[in-house]
Amino acid sequence: MALIIRSSAIHAAGCYTTAAVRKGTRVAEYTGPRLSKNEADAANEESPITYLFGLGDGSVVIDGHCMAMFINHSCDPNCETEEIKGRVWIRAIRKIEPGEEITYDYCLYDGGDDEATCNCGAVLCRGTMYSPQEIRRRKAVAKKVKKKKTATRRTRTKTLPEPRTKDVIEEENAA
């Protein structure tokens, strides 16, 4: 199968097929050095863009520098990833026409405060490359933070009782 890299409406460059691809076909393999998550984070601390692919539980990542690194995210993809014996394959989930851009759903689950904005243009675009589970997790965290801030604000705005002067204390004691 012939793949080419060219300009993409989704993100700078994309990976395209020059021939029809049947459903179920392995389109590409995601390859590159394998690093621990901590090593990858340290190595890419200043990088605005990374091509990291988490394996298994995410403690090991592939630092992708291969043809597959140009496969862009889509909320309505034509491929999916599958991990087989520590290797990551991009596999067609439907027939792909010649000249069509190859895409898969990144389902990001890590990224700090980055919004990971999606530009796929799909009808049902999530607006982010984060997985639906990560979106729910982030919303729950944001809700907790907002609730905590609101409670803190309420605590700060409570009115304190009037200070009791010596005269008021003497009156109370005399009564």
Side-chain angles (χ1 to χ4, degrees):
M1 161 181 346
L3 299 177
I4 60 170
I5 306 304
R6 65 176 191 186
S7 295
S8 167
I10 297 172
H11 179 71
C15 185
Y16 294 78
T17 181
T18 59
V21 178
R22 289 189 327 208
K23 179 180 177 177
T25 302
R26 288 181 179 171
V27 176
E29 182 180 4
Y30 206 94
T31 61
R34 287 156 194 264
L35 308 168
S36 72
K37 183 181 178 321
N38 292 339
E39 289 171 327
D41 286 346
N44 291 284
E45 192 171 359
E46 301 298 318
S47 300
I49 298 174
T50 61
Y51 298 97
L52 304 174
F53 196 106
L55 295 172
D57 65 0
S59 60
V60 173
V61 298
I62 297 173
D63 191 357
H65 289 283
C66 57
M67 180 72 81
M69 72 186 248
F70 292 100
I71 298 175
N72 285 318
H73 163 85
S74 176
C75 296
D76 184 19
N78 52 25
C79 291
E80 65 184 6
T81 60
E82 60 183 351
E83 186 178 335
I84 301 171
K85 296 182 182 175
R87 295 174 73 179
V88 175
W89 296 96
I90 290 77
R91 186 176 59 79
I93 57 174
R94 63 168 174 79
K95 182 179 178 190
I96 303 171
E97 298 296 330
E100 191 175 344
E101 184 171 5
I102 306 297
T103 60
Y104 67 89
D105 189 336
Y106 285 6
C107 287
L108 297 180
Y109 58 87
D110 188 5
D113 294 334
D114 182 16
E115 293 181 24
T117 304
C118 177
N119 300 307
C120 75
V123 173
L124 297 176
C125 178
R126 294 189 303 267
T128 180
M129 293 182 281
Y130 285 115
S131 69
Q133 297 84 353
E134 180 66 8
I135 293 168
R136 284 192 295 276
R137 187 193 71 75
R138 286 171 176 256
K139 283 182 181 178
V141 167
K143 189 176 178 180
K144 267 186 185 176
V145 168
K146 184 177 179 182
K147 192 174 184 178
K148 188 174 182 179
K149 282 182 182 178
T150 302
T152 303
R153 245 184 264 126
R154 285 186 192 133
T155 303
R156 287 190 201 143
T157 59
K158 283 184 180 176
T159 54
L160 297 173
E162 289 290 323
R164 297 171 52 206
T165 63
K166 185 178 177 184
D167 296 337
V168 171
I169 292 170
E170 286 176 0
E171 279 181 30
E172 288 174 354
N173 288 338

